[in-house]
Amino acid sequence: MLSKEEAKKRIEELRKLIRHHDYLYYVLNKPEISDAEYDKLMLELKELEEKYPEFITPDSPTQRVGGFPAEEFKTVTHTKPMLSLDSAFTEEDIRRFDERVKRELGVESVEYVAEPKLDGLSVELVYENGVFVRGSTRGDGVNGEDVTENLKTIRAVPLRLREGRGVPSLLAVRGEVIMHIDDFEELNKQLIERGEEPLANPRNAAAGSLRRLDPRETAERPLDIFFYEILNIEGVEVDTQWDALNLLREWGLKVNRLIEKCSSIDDAIRYHGKMAEKREKLSYEIDGVVIKVDRLEYHEKLGIKARSPRWAIAYKFPPREEETEIVDIVVQVGRTGALTPVALLKPVDVTGVTVSRATLHNQDFIDQMDVRIGDKVKVARAGDVIPEVVKVLKEKRTGKEKKFHIPSRCPVCGSKVVKEGAFYRCTGGLACIAQLKRSIAHYASKGAMDIEGLGRKNVDLLVDSGLVRRLSDLYTLKKEDLLSLPRFAEKSAENLIEGIEKSKNQNLARFIYALGIPNVGEHMARVLAEHFKSLDNLMKASVEDLTSIHEVGPETAESIVSFFREKTNRDEIERMKKLGVRATVERVEKKKGLLDGKVFVFTGALKSFSREEAKSLVEELGGRAASSVSRNVDFVVVGENPGSKYDKAKKLGLKIIDEEEFKKMVGRS
Ligand code: IVH
């Protein structure tokens, strides 16, 4: 047994050790201990901190996943605008850039730093006296979203800087959050297994993962980060970009290993060629190189044009294209019945990602490109869009290629297909299994009724087995029904039933969105819920009633009215209500709340509720959930692994309760 004093010393020692090994691993890529040894240090630290929570500090390596699930991200104004870069595609462009730089500076030669242009999500991190205090996404360049808690979960983000040539009193640094290609593919494999939608590419995966409202979800995603620019610094002198990158490294901030100093633009152009070759072998995606004037004093002189600096340029790689063959063309039926032609391809690797399908958009696209089944084509994977056929290699035709036209009957249900503008649509409605499946998946999705365990695979199973023939059938499902299906065991069946049961209490806005009315997204659903306060009111609304609301246009009004005019839709809603779906407005006319005026703060994980649920419970009962501890707080609810809020609460002498007490208070024990 350690004494309290000894424990404190050991805690500090362990933190130092862990930080040191993080640095060796993440920044230098030269680990000196095994994962198991590392885990042991971490475990020891966790146990000591559990015993002595008073020694927990926010920058302890144990505090990476401690945040709240947020309702939305706070807005952060960047310390300095986060600019973007002008792009160039040819050597000529780059030489012109160099000429202009030299001309404006009035010098004969300029040195550059060349760096890989990482294809991820740009973020700003702020360190005060060496401690990570705030991080945000780029947003519009001036304001971004506060993703501090999410960034903390990335292991390559040091919570505290190493002492290099002194620690700056303030450091705002810019970096790129990325996902490695193999991690991306593994993640997609898991998503597909869980019946969820796979992500389009590593960049979207990185962005989507970082922007989870629940930091615990971000923590489960394999993210990495590289730092490349000092936005603001106080307390340490820096003269060149090269020096800046080296300083960042010394402070334990990971800098890409492939950066190079170039004594002239020729060097930078050679660098671009070298990277274009190397690109295929990298574990992450780059879409070009960035060439930056080395001397920072020159940056000031050159200044900014519109939203990009005159001292840097992105020298992009040509878009990634590969040749493959269209094996077949199939038609995908969307939730609202829209038919999209999709080319099934002989799988091809397009810079690291295997592509086996490409969208053909609509019949007009097929006709204009004259795409046929059996054609050899070029496919491109451009930035954030789904793979696309960019060229048909007509000279390679053998004569066996077959033309394709969207069928006049739905390939899934056989209903008539009608043409609406450039699109064809199946008229089967929810009698069309494809539309039914997609409607149910949408109904159950996160932003809608958020039914856990009801991903695409399970939806397919429920519909294909005949257990669910219409949406409202979800609410008649019993555990025994599920147990007769191949994918379900006792526990998973129970969970799904419970998830469906819980959805009965989702609020009106979510329910409206879940119905999948054309033109009604999450935001519009919230507007409608707020305005009409009940489903009945909304169902009775006329086009005029609707368009009188500021945000509702005539097209949306029309689609809402015609949705509720459909007898099948009205019957479905009626039946769902009978089966217990409440879809009420939150915080209805303030009932005499049990918790009227009381302010709650939550820290640590609760067993019986998600953070969201707990907060909305408090609000339903007239209380308020605050996000930080202050003297105004009445109760601090402490779950498992509480964060620094717990210590602060103790310091302030606030009333601290555990989950059981909380449950009693809200009448859920
Ligand atoms: S420097 C003002 N360096 O490329 C210069 N950007 O528009 C700021 N990017 O949004 C950017 N790798 O997210 C810089 N080594 C690198 C970069 C890089 C990727 C991104 C950045 C920016 C975009 C260009």
Side-chain angles (χ1 to χ4, degrees):
M1 262 306 264
L2 297 181
S3 73
K4 196 163 165 178
E5 267 317 296
E6 286 166 333
K8 185 167 183 215
K9 243 181 86 196
R10 180 65 182 154
I11 283 176
E12 263 149 32
E13 219 169 75
L14 284 165
R15 287 181 188 160
K16 252 204 187 132
L17 269 171
I18 291 169
R19 280 187 198 120
H20 176 66
H21 289 297
D22 279 344
Y23 172 71
L24 292 175
Y25 184 93
Y26 291 105
V27 182
L28 302 186
N29 202 18
K30 280 195 195 114
E32 284 173 3
I33 58 174
S34 68
D35 288 357
E37 284 169 292
Y38 180 89
D39 292 344
K40 234 172 95 184
L41 295 175
M42 204 63 167
L43 187 68
E44 189 185 346
L45 177 59
K46 258 191 206 144
E47 284 175 351
L48 281 174
E49 287 183 352
E50 242 158 61
K51 223 182 226 155
Y52 301 100
E54 58 270 42
F55 295 145
I56 299 179
T57 55
D59 64 344
S60 168
T62 58
Q63 300 301 300
R64 288 198 176 269
V65 194
F68 279 92
E71 308 240 315
E72 55 181 6
F73 294 115
K74 278 188 281 180
T75 302
V76 177
T77 303
H78 298 301
T79 39
K80 211 165 125 190
M82 285 173 78
L83 305 172
S84 54
L85 292 170
D86 278 344
S87 292
F89 288 93
T90 63
E91 184 177 327
E92 216 188 314
D93 291 341
I94 295 301
R95 293 201 180 277
R96 222 176 298 131
F97 163 77
D98 176 55
E99 287 306 325
R100 206 194 59 215
V101 165
K102 288 192 290 201
R103 196 175 54 241
E104 282 180 24
L105 292 173
V107 295
E108 297 275 292
S109 72
V110 172
E111 290 185 320
Y112 293 98
V113 174
E115 307 170 13
K117 184 170 184 307
L118 307 155
D119 203 3
L121 176 75
S122 189
V123 289
E124 177 192 23
L125 283 83
V126 180
Y127 288 84
E128 282 172 9
N129 297 317
V131 177
F132 175 49
V133 291
R134 194 168 51 257
S136 51
T137 59
R138 177 169 181 276
D140 63 6
V142 177
N143 298 304
E145 290 169 325
D146 185 335
V147 287
T148 309
E149 293 301 329
N150 300 24
L151 282 166
K152 273 175 151 179
T153 68
I154 303 177
R155 299 291 301 278
V157 168
L159 301 181
R160 170 185 281 278
L161 298 180
R162 288 166 57 83
E163 307 241 341
R165 276 170 267 168
V167 166
S169 51
L170 174 80
L171 174 71
V173 58
R174 179 167 176 172
E176 197 88 353
V177 173
I178 59 152
M179 192 178 282
H180 291 270
I181 297 166
D182 50 353
D183 287 332
F184 161 74
E185 295 198 326
E186 177 60 33
L187 173 65
N188 262 355
K189 228 170 77 195
Q190 289 172 10
L191 289 176
I192 291 167
E193 271 166 24
R194 291 209 300 258
E196 290 174 38
E197 214 37 67
L199 297 155
N201 54 49
R203 170 153 58 113
N204 284 10
S209 301
L210 186 70
R211 297 180 64 254
R212 309 300 292 194
L213 286 169
D214 187 345
R216 283 172 298 191
E217 289 177 19
T218 304
E220 278 165 21
R221 298 287 177 87
L223 292 173
D224 198 1
I225 189 167
F226 287 106
F227 296 91
Y228 51 69
E229 198 200 350
I230 293 181
L231 289 163
N232 217 336
I233 187 163
E234 281 166 21
V236 176
E237 277 297 313
V238 196
D239 297 327
T240 62
Q241 169 68 3
W242 188 250
D243 199 28
L245 293 173
N246 282 309
L247 270 169
L248 293 179
R249 237 181 222 153
E250 283 176 32
W251 286 323
L253 296 159
K254 182 167 169 176
V255 171
N256 197 288
R257 252 173 281 281
L258 300 171
I259 56 166
E260 270 181 34
K261 193 162 165 170
C262 305
S263 56
S264 69
I265 203 67
D266 292 315
D267 274 3
I269 291 166
R270 269 194 295 276
Y271 178 84
H272 175 267
K274 213 163 57 181
M275 285 303 131
E277 273 174 36
K278 220 178 173 110
R279 182 187 192 192
E280 316 294 318
K281 297 193 199 87
L282 295 179
S283 68
Y284 48 87
E285 296 210 356
I286 62 175
D287 58 352
V289 303
V290 184
I291 302 172
K292 301 176 183 172
V293 171
D294 190 29
R295 281 180 66 166
L296 300 183
E297 162 206 346
Y298 286 168
H299 290 195
E300 308 238 322
K301 280 197 185 147
L302 289 163
I304 293 162
K305 178 193 73 191
R307 312 191 75 190
S308 26
R310 284 205 178 82
W311 44 263
I313 194 159
Y315 189 0
K316 296 278 215 55
F317 297 137
R320 300 153 285 197
E321 285 182 10
E322 287 299 330
E323 189 180 323
T324 183
E325 188 184 321
I326 298 188
V327 182
D328 201 358
I329 296 177
V330 295
V331 169
Q332 217 167 279
V333 187
R335 176 163 58 81
T336 54
L339 302 183
T340 309
V342 174
L344 302 186
L345 309 168
K346 206 178 253 176
V348 61
D349 183 319
V350 188
T351 45
V353 172
T354 306
V355 171
S356 54
R357 296 162 78 89
T359 176
L360 296 172
H361 304 289
N362 53 40
Q363 187 66 43
D364 290 348
F365 181 87
I366 295 179
D367 295 343
Q368 273 155 26
M369 301 267 288
D370 187 20
V371 193
R372 303 181 192 180
I373 298 170
D375 265 336
K376 303 270 188 311
V377 292
K378 286 248 166 151
V379 290
R381 195 165 63 79
D384 44 5
V385 295
I386 325 168
E388 195 179 46
V389 171
V390 289
K391 192 162 184 228
V392 178
L393 304 172
K394 293 189 181 142
E395 67 280 8
K396 296 203 173 173
R397 279 191 177 153
T398 62
K400 287 197 183 134
E401 294 74 17
K402 278 191 286 182
K403 287 204 177 199
F404 176 85
H405 198 283
I406 294 197
S408 55
R409 299 239 155 226
C410 171
V412 177
C413 72
S415 298
K416 235 181 105 175
V417 166
V418 293
K419 189 163 194 272
E420 284 175 6
F423 289 90
Y424 287 81
R425 199 170 60 79
C426 157
T427 54
L430 294 184
C432 173
I433 287 203
Q435 289 183 58
L436 176 63
K437 283 178 177 173
R438 285 181 180 240
S439 300
I440 297 175
H442 170 76
Y443 184 83
S445 66
K446 266 215 145 65
M449 299 300 261
D450 193 14
I451 303 178
E452 221 170 290
L454 199 49
R456 269 170 96 161
K457 280 212 169 149
N458 281 343
V459 170
D460 285 353
L461 199 62
L462 291 174
V463 173
D464 292 339
S465 66
L467 275 175
V468 173
R469 290 171 205 272
R470 47 184 177 151
L471 202 49
S472 57
D473 283 350
L474 285 178
Y475 294 102
T476 61
L477 284 175
K478 299 203 177 47
K479 193 170 109 188
E480 301 75 66
D481 298 332
L482 298 180
L483 287 175
S484 69
L485 299 175
R487 273 165 64 97
F488 283 94
E490 194 71 23
K491 189 77 198 145
S492 49
E494 249 166 48
N495 286 346
L496 180 53
I497 296 290
E498 194 186 318
I500 293 173
E501 198 54 37
K502 269 196 194 158
S503 74
K504 291 178 178 172
N505 290 326
Q506 290 289 22
N507 64 34
L508 180 61
R510 279 175 176 268
F511 185 72
I512 295 172
Y513 171 62
L515 289 174
I517 306 168
N519 299 312
V520 177
E522 280 180 76
H523 175 71
M524 182 56 64
R526 258 182 258 131
V527 170
L528 295 171
E530 214 138 276
H531 183 89
F532 289 101
K533 306 274 196 265
S534 81
L535 200 59
D536 286 339
N537 290 343
L538 174 62
M539 288 172 78
K540 279 187 284 200
S542 66
V543 170
E544 294 73 54
D545 295 338
L546 286 158
T547 45
S548 74
I549 305 171
H550 174 58
E551 288 181 78
V552 183
E555 199 185 339
T556 307
E558 193 55 61
S559 63
I560 295 168
V561 169
S562 61
F563 182 89
F564 290 119
R565 204 184 290 136
E566 267 321 312
K567 183 160 177 345
T568 35
N569 291 336
R570 284 207 313 272
D571 290 349
E572 272 296 274
I573 292 171
E574 199 45 47
R575 185 162 179 248
M576 286 200 260
K577 275 190 180 161
K578 280 212 179 94
L579 291 166
V581 176
R582 282 192 267 284
T584 48
V585 184
E586 283 164 300
R587 268 176 281 167
V588 231
E589 267 50 77
K590 266 201 154 185
K591 7 174 186 154
K592 265 270 159 45
L594 268 167
L595 307 178
D596 259 348
K598 295 278 182 272
V599 181
F600 284 73
V601 159
F602 295 90
T603 177
L606 301 178
K607 288 200 213 87
S608 325
F609 322 87
S610 71
R611 188 61 63 72
E612 306 268 292
E613 285 163 356
K615 281 185 174 179
S616 56
L617 251 174
V618 165
E619 282 169 10
E620 256 171 51
L621 296 170
R624 190 165 71 77
S627 56
S628 60
V629 172
S630 71
R631 289 192 193 283
N632 302 330
V633 171
D634 296 290
F635 298 100
V636 178
V637 186
V638 178
E640 253 171 56
N641 296 323
S644 58
K645 297 197 180 84
Y646 179 43
D647 303 310
K648 194 161 172 206
K650 278 195 296 191
K651 267 198 206 124
L652 293 176
L654 300 176
K655 173 94 179 142
I656 295 173
I657 60 174
D658 63 12
E659 185 168 350
E660 278 315 307
E661 281 178 79
F662 174 68
K663 278 164 89 176
K664 273 185 212 145
M665 268 184 157
V666 297
R668 291 289 176 104
S669 65

